[in-house]
Amino acid sequence: MQQTLNPWVTRPTADEPAEENRAVAPPPAAIISTPLRGIVEPDAADRLASRSMAGTARLWVVGTHGGAGESRIADLIESARSTDHFWPVLPSGAKPRVMLVCRADMRGLTTARNALTQWVSGAAPQIDLLGLAVLADAPGKTPKALRDFAALVGGGAPRFWSLPWVDAWRHTDATALPVAREYQRFITDVTALATPTNH
């Protein structure tokens, strides 16, 4: 997994903290952490719709397209719920914490780019966007062109996680926690970010 910040506006520091020190601290947001003025929203056909969500969740997981893996990701994170490809609107008026999810193919990354453009233009509802998780769409190494496009799209999110293929999920309805360290790190990061005391 590569959890990266915006590749256009951040630089790695020479003194990275030790892994054990980073385990409790969530990754900081990139420069693009709230909507920006002057960004043109996508065409209506390319926007995610909004839906009023009943009940509560610590985190709302929004798939940017069908088959994005939002239900799998929601199953991995305590008190998370999927939204069925809608921006969540809470009846209480509270600002929901949201994680965008897509697959690492051209369609998935394009829909994620559209959703991020909608958010950054201010055309999405008021949300606290934690970041974008891109799930591998097939076993093996992702082609370079798609990896590059994923990094470009991920640069428009506050945080970006690239997650590997999980073959076991093809054979079962249950969402078992993958042993891959990329998922362990992702869950640790997102759990810390979605904890109310961190905001």
Side-chain angles (χ1 to χ4, degrees), residues 102-116:
C102 76
R103 289 287 175 181
D105 58 14
M106 188 56 71
R107 176 175 175 261
L109 293 168
T110 300
T111 61
R113 180 188 62 192
N114 292 340
L116 286 166

Side-chain angles (χ1 to χ4, degrees), residues 27-91:
I31 298 300
I32 303 175
S33 59
T34 59
L36 303 173
R37 294 178 61 133
I39 303 297
V40 178
E41 63 189 73
D43 290 336
D46 295 327
R47 294 182 216 152
L48 290 175
S50 302
R51 175 185 284 173
S52 181
M53 307 303 291
T56 61
R58 183 166 61 171
L59 176 70
W60 297 93
V61 182
V62 179
T64 63
H65 61 96
E70 68 181 311
S71 296
R72 294 286 188 188
I73 294 300
D75 287 347
L76 291 175
I77 299 166
E78 186 179 348
S79 301
R81 290 179 52 196
S82 65
T83 67
D84 295 324
H85 319 298
F86 290 92
W87 294 114
V89 176
L90 304 183

Side-chain angles (χ1 to χ4, degrees), residues 105-106 109-110 113 144-154:
D105 58 14
M106 188 56 71
L109 293 168
T110 300
R113 180 188 62 192
K144 183 180 185 312
L146 288 174
R147 286 197 316 271
D148 291 347
F149 188 35
L152 182 67
V153 171

Side-chain angles (χ1 to χ4, degrees), residues 112-134:
R113 180 188 62 192
N114 292 340
L116 286 166
T117 302
Q118 183 182 0
W119 168 73
V120 82
S121 72
Q126 291 292 311
I127 61 167
D128 180 6
L129 182 62
L130 302 185
L132 169 68
V134 178

